[in-house]
Amino acid sequence: MTPTITAFESSPDRGRGLARDMAVRWALEEVGQPYDVRLVSFAAMKQPAHLALQPFGQIPTYEDGDLALFESGAIVLHVAERHPGLLPDDADARARAIAWMFAALVTVQQPIVEREAFILMERDKPWFAERLPILDGRVRDRLTQLANRLGDADWLDGAFSAGDLLMVNVLRRPAAASLLGDYPNLAAYVARGEARPAFKRAFEAQHAVFAAASAGS
Ligand code: GTB
């Protein structure tokens, strides 16, 4: 059965592959699993039909037969567990790869999202200039720690895994990407991820949605 995911009908990222369907598309491309995409509007995401799939009214979702899933990390883990290619066979290495998935989505992503939300919501506030360096510092702390761990390795723990997929995806977010010039090994790590044929296919697929919507408007 071909799984169906949801993605923005009109992504605010203008086709830059920053919305969270990108990780799911990339994972499906890595394992060679074809998929369908149902595009949803912001209004439709808040309707009962979508809320039954995603209680928070967000994308992405994943449906395959009787299984409906939400949360991009859980979907990537599901894909990685059911297909070879994204998790090591060795049980300990597999556990470590899953730890890196959590590290990406929680430990590294959290200060990045906080900085992005601050810039979006509080740019006009009198405390903006004073607080921004504090939030920058928190992102930099995580990037420094991650850069130290990665060192000159290609990937975080041996072969490319779902942990790398999610970590690269998180580092592509503007609040991290804008700082990567100071972290050459992380910049190279992201570039290695983006050079993977599966990443390119996923990126093109989401960009095609933006291009088609732009052409029609
Ligand atoms: N934890 C959930 C997951 O990982 O699946 C988070 C899902 C989520 O944040 N979805 C966002 C959404 O549906 C889209 S990706 N938002 C609509 C809503 O909440 O009403 C977040 C996102 C949006 C836009 C950009 N951008 O423009 O650059 C980047 C990322």
Side-chain angles (χ1 to χ4, degrees):
M1 191 148 196
T2 304
T4 298
I5 69 167
T6 51
F8 281 136
E9 176 184 84
S10 175
S11 179
D13 75 351
R14 304 181 58 77
R16 289 185 295 154
L18 299 173
R20 295 221 172 67
D21 58 296
M22 182 63 201
V24 173
R25 292 175 184 271
W26 186 6
L28 289 163
E29 292 287 355
E30 285 285 348
V31 302
Q33 171 63 58
Y35 61 99
D36 293 326
V37 183
R38 189 170 65 252
L39 300 176
V40 289
S41 65
F42 276 89
M45 283 191 283
K46 309 305 172 195
Q47 296 302 311
H50 189 79
L51 290 171
L53 296 171
Q54 218 291 5
F56 308 107
Q58 298 179 316
I59 58 96
T61 61
Y62 172 98
E63 293 157 83
D64 189 10
D66 290 338
L67 176 67
L69 278 179
F70 62 99
E71 284 297 332
S72 56
I75 299 168
V76 170
L77 180 57
H78 172 77
V79 170
E81 282 182 325
R82 271 153 191 76
H83 302 270
L86 283 173
L87 286 174
D89 290 335
D90 174 76
D92 287 356
R94 200 176 179 91
R96 289 196 303 273
I98 293 171
W100 279 116
M101 295 177 72
F102 280 85
L105 295 178
V106 183
T107 309
V108 177
Q109 183 168 245
Q110 191 273 335
I112 291 171
V113 169
E114 193 180 353
R115 182 183 185 272
E116 285 174 4
F118 178 70
I119 291 174
L120 198 66
M121 314 290 288
E122 298 181 57
R123 183 179 282 285
D124 299 334
K125 304 291 185 198
W127 55 80
F128 183 80
E130 191 180 347
R131 186 156 164 74
L132 185 60
I134 297 171
L135 298 186
D136 274 349
R138 289 183 190 156
V139 176
R140 283 186 181 281
D141 283 349
R142 288 294 179 249
L143 296 182
T144 301
Q145 290 161 330
L146 186 66
N148 288 344
R149 171 54 80 100
L150 181 66
D152 58 6
D154 279 355
W155 307 113
L156 287 166
D157 191 351
F160 176 82
S161 78
D164 294 297
L165 186 153
L166 291 179
M167 192 66 82
V168 168
N169 211 48
V170 165
L171 296 179
R172 292 186 68 251
R173 294 186 70 120
S178 62
L179 301 177
L180 288 187
D182 294 340
Y183 302 88
N185 67 334
L186 293 185
Y189 173 65
V190 172
R192 267 191 297 283
E194 291 178 335
R196 293 178 73 84
F199 176 93
K200 291 182 181 173
R201 288 193 296 273
F203 186 90
E204 285 309 317
Q206 64 76 38
H207 189 270
V209 175
F210 165 70
S214 307
S217 60

